[in-house]
Amino acid sequence: MTTIRETPVRLTQYAHGGGCACKIPPGELEDVLGGLLRPQTAAADTTLLVGLDTGDDAAVVTLPAAAGVPAQAVVATADFFTPVVDDPYDWGRIAAANALSDVYAMGGRPIVAVNLLTWPREVLPWDLAREVLRGGLDIAAEAGCHVGGGHSVDDPEPKYGMAVTGVADPARLLRNDAGRPGLPLSLTKPLGLGVLNNRHKATGERFEQAVATMAALNRDASVAALAAGAVCATDITGFGLLGHLHKLARASQVTAVIDTAAVPYLDGAREAVRDGFVSGGTRRNLEWVAPFTDFGGTDADTRFLLADAQTSGGLLVAGEVPGAPVVGELVARGEHSLVLR
């Protein structure tokens, strides 16, 4: 569904990019982080289960069992971005769902968040910022997650998101390094958010199917994945399906085979690619994964969609999730980390 809605202020026009397409390109980011791993010097009563080394969705530490309380994992993450849609309330909802998703991608449950807001206070009215925050509060409430304040900065570009803390069972985490050959790959949301958001930014067209998809929590998908016995997952955001799956395959030392015909897309996504609404972030994603990918006979438009920079996308789970399409499988490590068929 596509609509044109008149808004007094088009928030997307105050940002150089939109949503998770604003991420630093994955290749550049890995170059920056390459020398930053250090020996663990944390307190003796905690253990870092998931850190920087595998590029997973969140950090995880364990708190040991004590006084009859079982061991517990604490999940920590932060995510924020420039406006992905013009409506401030929807932007707040989407940004909050996206930040909470990192906890769900680890198999956790968010318990408390703090807002992260930058605002050009002499350019944009504060009532818009209030609507952004209201959207975030509503999604956090839906998730059963407290919001306990936050931090704000006067900035030329508006940005919003959350730092989120969650809890999980340390024996039942979803990690991107736990994939094994023979496992199917399930995708819980369709692709195409990036190209539809880019079209929205350029034309003002509003795509209700994209807004609904981005604002939907990944909570139920996470619960279903754990119930099905999954131990490996990631969420699909700014690096696209190919980028995040490459990181999963590399961390798990396997090859991921994608059945391109099985991958679901949002209505209008392929048309948006055809009409040229491909973001720079998506092009950089495709360039980054190309040396690690056997593209086979996949056409250029499909490659762009598979690398499309998603905002608040779904979970990619190594295992079958009821109701989610199976889009490929993990196999023994071969010449490439990704193979498209």
Side-chain angles (χ1 to χ4, degrees):
M1 180 188 304
T2 306
T3 61
I4 299 289
R5 176 183 294 181
E6 293 296 329
T7 56
V9 176
R10 292 203 59 208
L11 285 174
T12 56
Q13 304 309 297
Y14 290 84
H16 73 282
C20 290
C22 287
K23 281 187 173 182
I24 293 173
E28 293 180 24
L29 184 60
E30 291 193 344
D31 288 343
V32 171
L33 298 177
L36 295 181
L37 289 176
R38 294 287 188 270
Q40 294 304 313
T41 58
D45 61 346
T46 62
T47 300
L48 182 67
L49 287 183
V50 181
L52 185 63
D53 50 343
T54 61
D56 217 323
D57 297 296
V60 182
V61 298
T62 56
L63 300 178
V69 178
Q72 196 166 44
V74 177
V75 185
T77 186
D79 209 314
F80 62 99
F81 48 68
T82 53
V84 68
V85 293
D86 290 324
D87 186 286
Y89 177 73
D90 283 343
W91 175 32
R93 294 166 62 223
I94 292 164
N98 182 75
L100 294 164
S101 178
D102 284 341
V103 175
Y104 294 131
M106 303 302 301
R109 174 175 60 88
I111 57 173
V112 65
V114 290
N115 290 310
L116 304 172
L117 177 71
T118 74
W119 201 256
R121 62 185 184 81
E122 295 183 354
V123 177
L124 291 174
W126 281 115
D127 62 337
L128 295 181
R130 185 179 296 109
E131 281 298 288
V132 174
L133 294 171
R134 186 171 70 89
L137 284 170
D138 282 354
I139 287 296
E142 182 182 338
C145 177
H146 297 291
V147 178
H151 185 65
S152 59
V153 173
D154 185 358
D155 188 272
E157 277 192 326
K159 303 177 184 74
Y160 174 65
M162 288 178 166
V164 187
T165 301
V167 293
D169 181 345
R172 301 184 68 225
L173 291 175
L174 298 173
R175 304 174 52 134
N176 73 352
D177 63 352
R180 298 293 179 264
L183 290 174
L185 292 168
S186 300
L187 182 63
T188 67
K189 287 184 183 180
L191 302 182
L193 293 163
V195 289
L196 292 179
N197 289 338
N198 209 30
R199 187 166 203 153
H200 170 68
K201 178 179 171 63
T203 68
E205 296 173 82
R206 178 179 166 89
F207 298 95
E208 301 291 351
Q209 71 275 26
V211 172
T213 298
M214 290 185 287
L217 293 171
N218 281 328
R219 174 185 56 200
D220 293 348
S222 179
V223 171
L226 290 171
V231 296
C232 178
T234 188
D235 65 346
I236 307 303
T237 55
F239 300 151
L241 175 66
L242 294 183
H244 289 285
L245 184 53
H246 165 59
K247 291 173 67 176
L248 184 153
R250 182 179 61 185
S252 297
Q253 300 183 50
V254 296
T255 288
V257 179
I258 302 173
D259 178 1
T260 57
V263 177
Y265 301 104
L266 288 164
D267 289 344
R270 193 167 287 277
E271 291 78 7
V273 173
R274 178 200 64 199
D275 295 340
F277 295 101
V278 178
S279 70
T282 292
R283 296 180 187 277
R284 291 188 291 270
N285 289 342
L286 193 57
E287 181 181 0
W288 178 56
V289 301
F292 315 105
T293 305
D294 176 359
F295 289 105
T298 309
D299 64 86
D301 285 1
T302 298
R303 296 184 191 187
F304 279 134
L305 285 168
L306 293 173
D308 190 37
Q310 305 298 279
T311 296
S312 194
L315 298 187
L316 182 71
V317 180
E320 291 196 45
V321 178
V326 171
V327 298
E329 63 176 333
L330 300 180
V331 300
R333 181 71 181 182
E335 179 182 356
H336 299 91
S337 64
L338 301 175
V339 175
L340 310 189
R341 291 178 179 167

